[in-house]
Amino acid sequence: MAFFSCLDLQEGLRTLSVLQLIPVYVILGALSILGIPYSLLFTSLWPLSVLFLAWVAYDWNTHSQDGRRSAWVRNWTLWKYFQSYFPVKLVKTHDLSPKHNYIILCHPHGILSYGAFINFATEATGFSRVFPSITPSLATLEGIFWIPFVRDYVMSMGICPVSEVALKHRLTQKGSGNAVIIVPGGASESLLCRPGVSTVYLKKRKGFVKLALKTGAYLVPSYSFGENEAYNQETFPEGTWLRFFQKNFQKIGKRILGINFCTFHGRGLTRGSWGILPFNHPITTVVGKPLPVPKILDPDKETVTKYFELYISALRKLFDQHKAEYGFSKTQELTII
């Protein structure tokens, strides 16, 4: 009986570790957006709020520069429970030499990019052990860094804005041995994510190649097998009022926040139930062979296209080499749109 109780406790801790992810951001955001104005206007603690806002103004550019990484936060036990929920796994196919800098492209986006988050923003899968002397910086929407408390929380995990200024700083101003991780499919790709689908939105996303050429950073393909299996996504039939509402809601979200609101569901608090928790499906992120890129301060379109096609070939090769091992059939094709 004690053994089964222990199993139940471990399962509960894994579930709670995933369940807390979004509420933590919401709570931290509410504390800054609502709590600071309330403190300024209605309490005797307004001097503290003024000092805090002065500090935020002084510290405003930190996220686009060196950030404020915390090894302690990245090694929280919380992330180990999070990792074991699926579980998430990091697989290395080639070494990354600390003599170079890298742009690691992570595909597919999925709904919430769990593979990219756990593998590159935490040490739950042992990134620093798998790739010694390489410092990872997972890139995400810059708007997150405009919210006090939230910005400090994500910076502590080594997360940075997916802006040219922030990425170039990490690739040119911090020596070698740095890797920025970009999920290039973004909001558009999230709408394509469904179980069994291997489609990436990439043909219109050549900016990462231009960045690599300008900085001389090597391009590294990676693919998170199982990312699309974390949730079921619903697209309502065309011509229905549900589809009309869905499309317009997504357009508004993309225009204002830069994200697409997907209609999805997973499991509930117990296995087999319906809810917003992801399914317990393994996610394996395979990191491929680095593609050397020359440093060209002002690359022309032909050069960008050349290295973009080389990257596409490397990504397809990586997918084909590992698809059968991690859940796809040998005939499954990687679709790039």
Side-chain angles (χ1 to χ4, degrees):
M1 182 64 70
F3 173 73
F4 288 108
S5 297
C6 181
L7 287 181
D8 291 341
L9 175 61
Q10 294 300 309
E11 175 71 14
L13 290 173
R14 285 192 286 266
T15 301
L16 288 174
S17 70
V18 177
L19 190 62
Q20 59 79 35
L21 185 65
I22 301 301
V24 165
Y25 288 105
V26 173
I27 292 169
L28 290 175
L31 283 174
S32 59
I33 296 172
L34 302 176
I36 294 175
Y38 179 83
S39 176
L40 278 170
L41 298 174
F42 303 109
T43 75
S44 59
L45 299 176
W46 64 266
L48 292 178
S49 296
V50 170
L51 289 173
F52 178 74
L53 291 174
W55 160 253
V56 170
Y58 172 79
D59 193 55
W60 190 250
N61 292 322
T62 298
H63 58 266
S64 294
Q65 297 174 352
D66 293 336
R68 204 158 31 244
R69 181 187 306 266
S70 169
W72 175 65
V73 174
R74 287 176 58 87
N75 282 280
W76 277 352
T77 303
L78 170 71
W79 308 130
K80 289 296 293 182
Y81 281 109
F82 199 124
Q83 174 269 331
S84 62
Y85 174 92
F86 295 92
V88 178
K89 185 180 178 182
L90 180 65
V91 175
K92 176 178 71 173
T93 62
H94 292 79
D95 291 331
L96 298 183
S97 170
K99 295 180 181 180
H100 305 288
N101 288 325
Y102 303 91
I103 299 176
I104 300 176
L105 290 307
C106 195
H107 314 272
H109 184 282
I111 300 296
L112 292 175
S113 299
Y114 287 119
F117 174 74
I118 285 298
N119 283 311
F120 303 118
T122 80
E123 286 293 330
T125 54
F127 182 92
S128 61
R129 172 180 49 80
V130 177
F131 297 105
S133 301
I134 301 296
T135 302
S137 296
L138 177 63
T140 190
L141 294 171
E142 187 168 17
I144 290 176
F145 297 89
W146 301 343
I147 308 173
F149 299 136
V150 174
R151 69 189 293 271
D152 296 283
Y153 182 54
V154 296
M155 277 197 295
S156 69
M157 291 180 273
I159 298 176
C160 70
V162 63
S163 66
E164 185 176 6
V165 171
L167 298 178
K168 285 185 72 174
H169 181 88
R170 283 160 174 77
L171 294 172
T172 62
Q173 303 298 316
K174 301 186 70 176
S176 60
N178 300 291
V180 296
I181 298 90
I182 303 174
V183 188
S188 298
E189 191 174 275
S190 65
L191 295 177
L192 307 174
C193 299
R194 287 171 176 79
V197 171
S198 55
T199 301
V200 298
Y201 188 87
L202 197 59
K203 287 186 177 180
K204 295 182 179 180
R205 304 291 172 91
K206 297 182 180 180
F208 67 88
V209 178
K210 194 171 184 179
L211 176 65
L213 288 164
K214 285 183 175 181
T215 61
Y218 287 16
L219 291 172
V220 184
S222 72
Y223 197 93
S224 291
F225 294 92
E227 185 70 54
N228 285 347
E229 277 64 40
Y231 290 104
N232 289 327
Q233 185 171 181
E234 302 292 339
T235 300
F236 298 115
E238 292 291 344
T240 64
W241 68 271
L242 284 172
R243 181 59 178 154
F244 173 81
F245 176 79
Q246 185 181 43
K247 290 172 69 174
N248 283 279
F249 189 58
Q250 288 170 346
K251 287 180 181 178
I252 293 171
K254 180 69 181 298
R255 187 179 301 118
I256 297 175
L257 300 175
I259 60 175
N260 276 324
F261 290 103
C262 304
T263 309
F264 64 91
H265 72 85
R267 52 159 282 197
L269 292 175
T270 58
R271 292 177 185 261
S273 59
W274 190 95
I276 61 170
L277 283 167
F279 294 115
N280 303 82
H281 190 284
I283 299 175
T284 303
T285 301
V286 183
V287 180
K289 182 179 180 180
L291 173 64
V293 176
K295 186 173 183 178
I296 305 173
L297 294 180
D298 189 20
D300 55 33
K301 289 184 179 180
E302 290 75 17
T303 304
V304 172
T305 300
K306 172 187 174 181
Y307 282 93
F308 180 74
E309 293 300 329
L310 287 172
Y311 176 78
I312 292 293
S313 297
L315 176 61
R316 287 190 185 279
K317 182 179 180 181
L318 179 72
F319 180 83
D320 289 339
Q321 286 178 336
H322 298 277
K323 60 186 179 183
E325 184 178 359
Y326 297 115
F328 285 121
S329 69
K330 292 182 179 180
T331 59
Q332 183 86 10
E333 296 291 334
L334 178 65
T335 303
I336 298 175
I337 62 174

